[in-house]
Amino acid sequence: MLFHSTRGNAPAVTADIALKAGAAPDGGLYLPGNLPGFASGDFADTSGLGDLGARLLAPFFEGSPLADAIPDICRDAFDFPAPCVTPQSSDDGPAVLELFHGPTGAFKDFGARFLFRSFSALGQDADAPITVLVATSGDTGGAVGCAAEGVPGVRAVILFPKGRISAFQEHQLCCWKPPVSALRVAGDFDACQALVKAAFADAGLTARHSLTSANSISIGRLLPQMIYWSRAALDVEAETGMKPGLVIPTGNLGNAFAAILARACGLPIGPVVLATNANTTLSDWFSSGRYSARASIATIANAMDVGAPSNFERLDGFDGGRIAGVECIGDDTIRTRIRTTFEDSGYIACPHTATGLEAHARLPEAERKARPWIVAATAHPGKFADIVEPVIGRTVDLPPALSGVLEREVRVSDIAPELAALTASLDAGT
């Protein structure tokens, strides 16, 4: 299979080249040139995430050096569960797909682990490593740092916004051993994202450091994220005979687009509703039909603090990319939803998951009852203890993988939101 740029001014490439490049040379994002047509029965004999992933992703890697390695990559990368639980007591309450059981407690573990195992399978040169440059609003960087640690021939550089993430998230971003580096940027997430895009646009800098991306602009992040949506949808269809609707908390649109891509490939996914925080770019677009990026604002659901979602370029005009709704949820409502969910069911939701639960609650009653619904739980609530614990009035217990993070030494450098500052850091090896 060949992958094409959304802007149409770059050569089509195989999956391995698209993964290593991150973005296309014309500044666009890679999309598969054609999509496989699956039916639910094609996965009847699969179990778990790794087994399903190997079959689902095989067509995308045809003709690539990674083709034979995909089954092993999937089995190794997805060695943790993604359970669907039902915390609500009402008949029309949603299932919650818990995507935070990986090593860094966030759904970003799925894409990051797949991507770095793919780089390893491609046999990178330790003397001339590729540099994975990633902007994060909280969770992506932790997953990338964890996945990159110990992988030969790969260097990871994490950019995050100063003062815009939780204390736990910052510790988690800065605790990984070389060749992982953390850069604290004096700006918001969009400034970090703009720095990454500017670096890719600098041909000399890109060539000098073999730059690639681990943000959701990378097709290597999106493809594996189809797997858990597909598994959950197939399981619900097998149990109920219906295609579930999905409610997806989103910032940069990567997780949502992965679900839409899976649906376009024939997986049994019904309507997709997006939940955002107080950043209104997507809700304004949905209500008006006009897309206008703007500066992001800080919220308690900080991993979604995005005013210019990169994956809108993929979604815009994508055949089968229809969105059923976009709900914009403010901080006070997020806190209320965390509290009422806990009081009603004992379930503890992170601020991002709470936006999804609130968006589901806002659906018309007839729509809620028309089909099963799945809300994505994108991160472990313990990563946001400073927000969640005062609301529910109790301590959130951390799983061992997350509590171990706090015992690690922190390393971080501060930079201005300027390409010259990033270039200097890259050239210095920090």
Side-chain angles (χ1 to χ4, degrees), residues 269-313:
I269 293 171
V272 174
V273 173
L274 307 183
T276 74
N277 55 24
N279 287 276
T280 62
T281 299
L282 292 174
S283 58
D284 289 348
W285 157 74
F286 185 80
S287 62
S288 71
R290 295 184 298 274
Y291 174 81
S292 177
R294 73 282 312 269
S296 65
I297 61 174
T299 76
I300 61 172
N302 59 51
M304 296 155 57
D305 288 351
V306 182
S310 289
N311 281 289
F312 187 82
E313 186 164 338

Side-chain angles (χ1 to χ4, degrees), residues 26 76 98 128 157 227 273 292 303 311 317 332 383 392 400 411 430:
D26 63 354
D76 187 34
E98 293 187 337
V157 179
I227 295 170
V273 173
S292 177
N311 281 289
D332 289 344
K383 299 181 74 170
I392 65 172
R411 298 179 305 107
T430 59

Side-chain angles (χ1 to χ4, degrees), residues 56-403:
L56 178 64
L57 299 190
F60 295 95
F61 289 87
E62 289 179 357
S64 160
L66 284 169
D68 292 340
I70 290 300
D72 287 339
I73 290 172
C74 287
R75 278 191 292 269
D76 187 34
F78 312 129
D79 63 350
F80 51 90
C84 258
V85 303
T86 307
Q88 305 292 344
S89 56
S90 62
D91 291 338
D92 62 347
V96 175
L97 180 61
E98 293 187 337
L99 301 175
F100 52 70
H101 293 283
T104 71
F107 78 94
K108 307 295 180 74
D109 283 319
F110 290 91
R113 285 167 64 85
F114 178 89
L115 185 62
F116 279 89
R117 281 154 178 76
S118 297
F119 289 149
S120 180
L122 289 170
Q124 302 304 314
D125 185 351
D127 294 327
I130 62 172
T131 298
V132 179
L133 193 60
V134 60
T136 183
S137 52
D139 290 327
T140 298
V144 165
C146 181
E149 196 176 59
V151 176
V154 180
R155 173 191 179 201
V157 179
I158 302 165
L159 284 70
F160 68 93
K162 182 177 182 179
R164 301 288 289 262
I165 62 177
S166 74
F168 182 94
Q169 284 176 309
E170 179 160 337
H171 193 108
Q172 190 179 51
L173 295 179
C174 304
C175 71
W176 309 107
K177 298 176 183 178
V180 181
S181 302
L183 300 178
R184 186 165 47 205
V185 179
D188 59 15
F189 168 74
D190 293 316
C192 297
Q193 187 163 252
L195 273 181
V196 171
K197 291 180 178 179
F200 287 137
D202 186 322
L205 183 63
T206 297
R208 189 159 70 250
H209 293 287
S210 300
L211 294 182
T212 189
S213 175
N215 280 101
S216 57
I217 64 172
S218 169
I219 198 70
R221 274 275 312 278
L222 284 179
L223 294 178
Q225 288 179 289
M226 292 195 299
I227 295 170
Y228 49 74
W229 291 124
S230 299
R231 180 78 274 163
L234 287 164
D235 290 347
V236 168
E237 185 189 46
E239 182 179 347
T240 67
M242 292 185 282
K243 297 178 180 180
L246 306 182
V247 182
I248 306 177
T250 194
N252 216 22
L253 269 177
N255 202 12
F257 189 77
I260 289 165
L261 194 60
R263 184 176 65 184
C265 292
L267 276 298
I269 293 171
V272 174
V273 173
L274 307 183
T276 74
N277 55 24
N279 287 276
T280 62
T281 299
L282 292 174
S283 58
D284 289 348
W285 157 74
F286 185 80
S287 62
S288 71
R290 295 184 298 274
Y291 174 81
S292 177
R294 73 282 312 269
S296 65
I297 61 174
T299 76
I300 61 172
N302 59 51
M304 296 155 57
D305 288 351
V306 182
S310 289
N311 281 289
F312 187 82
E313 186 164 338
R314 285 189 171 111
L315 181 67
D316 189 31
F318 180 74
D319 186 24
R322 186 172 61 84
I323 297 295
V326 181
E327 290 292 336
C328 187
I329 319 294
D331 281 358
D332 289 344
T333 306
I334 291 173
R335 289 189 176 93
T336 299
R337 181 54 57 184
I338 292 172
R339 183 176 62 254
T340 57
T341 298
F342 180 70
E343 291 173 349
D344 290 346
S345 65
Y347 191 80
I348 304 175
C350 86
H352 313 82
T353 306
T355 67
L357 293 170
E358 175 65 21
H360 174 268
R362 292 182 181 184
L363 291 172
E365 182 180 8
E367 185 64 14
R368 290 200 309 271
K369 293 183 175 181
R371 66 183 70 247
W373 285 88
I374 300 172
V375 172
T378 57
H380 192 282
K383 299 181 74 170
F384 306 91
D386 54 338
I387 296 165
V388 174
E389 290 179 353
V391 172
I392 65 172
R394 56 153 284 187
T395 300
V396 180
D397 297 327
L398 288 176
L402 294 186
S403 59

Side-chain angles (χ1 to χ4, degrees), residues 1-5 11-15 18 30-33 60-61 219 223:
M1 181 181 291
L2 294 179
F3 290 77
H4 302 259
S5 170
V13 298
T14 52
Y30 283 115
L31 276 175
F60 295 95
F61 289 87
I219 198 70
L223 294 178

